[in-house]
Amino acid sequence: MLAVILAGGFGTRLRPLTINLPKPMVPVANQPMMEHVVRLLERHGFDDILTMLHYSPESSSVISNQEKNWGR
């Protein structure tokens, strides 16, 4: 099943947390928010994930590099 995560925007309402960090990478319980979302989708049977990024997409590549360690 395919899921689409919309993670665009500058995160202005989350300032000062997003001054140097895009919204998907803001830590929640010591993990990036995006990791929580991806793990939740995986738990519910989604195996294809498309992420729509705008601001600083290169910093979110950390998540995709870690995916190979997520039960695959």
Side-chain angles (χ1 to χ4, degrees):
M1 215 173 355
L2 173 66
V4 178
I5 301 172
L6 300 175
F10 295 103
T12 53
R13 291 183 297 256
L14 292 176
R15 296 242 165 108
L17 299 174
T18 56
I19 291 174
N20 297 318
L21 201 61
K23 284 185 301 186
M25 299 307 292
V26 170
V28 175
N30 296 322
Q31 293 179 334
M33 183 62 190
M34 179 70 83
E35 187 171 341
H36 289 286
V37 172
V38 169
R39 288 184 186 273
L40 182 64
L41 289 169
E42 185 179 49
R43 198 173 326 140
H44 287 278
F46 290 88
D47 52 4
D48 290 322
I49 300 171
L50 175 64
T51 306
M52 308 297 285
L53 303 169
H54 174 68
Y55 173 69
S56 192
E58 64 280 349
S59 63
S60 296
S61 66
V62 173
I63 295 295
S64 64
N65 290 337
Q66 290 176 351
E67 181 193 325
K68 54 188 138 186
N69 298 323
W70 290 356
R72 297 195 181 225

